[in-house]
């Protein structure tokens, strides 16, 4: 929370922000494939710097509908956690984070094999992405987001 209070929003550097965006792994989910995270173009026109960075620092506190993970229970008893990327009456495509590096895999599930499906209200964005970041890093990241 100190990072939010101390961030020099008006002096953030776009180029440095792009480095933060790439180094912290934002690029894996927000720059096209696999398309797990929402498109960030224009986000600075709808949310304040503090609002955006609060979501980055505390992703599970205020999860927007459609960005939450779902827990699916299958007929064989297995439970899968992931982000729904496609659904039809016959199939459900669930994208799952396979490890700490943000590698994603897509699992195809037959709707007939799904017993339950429940939202978890957990964000698909992992916690701790900005661990060790300071106010300057947040301001730089915000400056980069303004350029999208």
């Amino acid at each position: 929370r100190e990072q939010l209070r101390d961030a020099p929003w008006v002096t953030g550097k776009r180029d440095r922000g792009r480095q933060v965006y790439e180094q912290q792994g934002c690029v894996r989910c927000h720059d096209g494939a696999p398309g797990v995270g929402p498109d960030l173009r224009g986000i600075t026109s709808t949310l304040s710097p503090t609002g955006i960075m609060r979501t980055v620092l505390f992703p599970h506190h205020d999860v927007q509908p459609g960005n939450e993970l779902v827990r699916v229970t299958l007929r064989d008893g297995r439970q899968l956690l992931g982000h729904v990327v496609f659904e039809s009456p016959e199939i459900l495509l669930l994208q799952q984070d396979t490890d700490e590096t943000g590698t994603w895999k897509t699992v195809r599930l037959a709707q007939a094999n799904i017993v339950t499906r429940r939202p978890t209200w957990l964000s698909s964005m992992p916690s701790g992405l900005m661990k060790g970041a300071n106010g300057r890093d947040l301001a730089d990241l915000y400056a980069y987001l303004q350029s999208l």
Side-chain angles (χ1 to χ4, degrees):
R1 298 188 193 265
E2 295 162 5
Q3 301 126 305
L4 292 172
R5 186 188 66 233
D6 298 339
W9 302 117
V10 296
T11 61
K13 306 290 185 219
R14 186 182 70 206
D15 292 340
R16 170 82 176 101
R18 174 70 185 181
Q19 291 174 348
V20 172
Y21 185 81
E22 292 172 353
Q23 290 169 352
Q24 299 304 326
C26 309
V27 69
R28 286 191 294 266
C29 297
H30 294 285
D31 273 6
V36 174
D39 185 349
L40 298 179
R41 288 177 293 182
I43 193 168
T44 60
S45 66
T46 59
L47 291 173
S48 70
T50 302
I52 293 168
M53 294 307 151
R54 188 176 298 123
T55 300
V56 171
L57 294 171
F58 313 106
H60 305 301
H61 284 201
D62 187 21
V63 181
Q64 297 300 308
N67 292 330
E68 75 277 359
L69 295 174
V70 296
R71 184 174 312 281
V72 176
T73 304
L74 303 176
R75 291 196 184 281
D76 65 8
R78 288 183 297 145
Q79 289 192 352
L80 304 175
L81 185 66
H83 184 77
V84 175
V85 292
F86 177 78
E87 182 173 14
S88 74
E90 294 81 28
I91 66 163
L92 178 82
L93 294 182
L94 193 68
Q95 208 154 44
Q96 296 181 291
D97 187 2
T98 59
D99 58 31
E100 297 290 319
T101 66
T103 302
W104 293 86
K105 72 175 181 178
T106 302
V107 179
R108 180 184 173 116
L109 304 169
Q111 292 280 14
N113 289 333
I114 298 173
V115 178
T116 61
R117 171 182 159 185
R118 293 194 172 86
T120 63
W121 305 113
L122 293 173
S123 173
S124 55
M125 184 163 65
S127 296
L129 288 177
M130 296 297 288
K131 186 176 183 178
N134 58 35
R136 163 73 47 214
D137 295 328
L138 298 182
D140 292 340
L141 179 57
Y142 182 76
Y144 172 69
L145 294 175
Q146 285 181 302
S147 74
L148 297 179

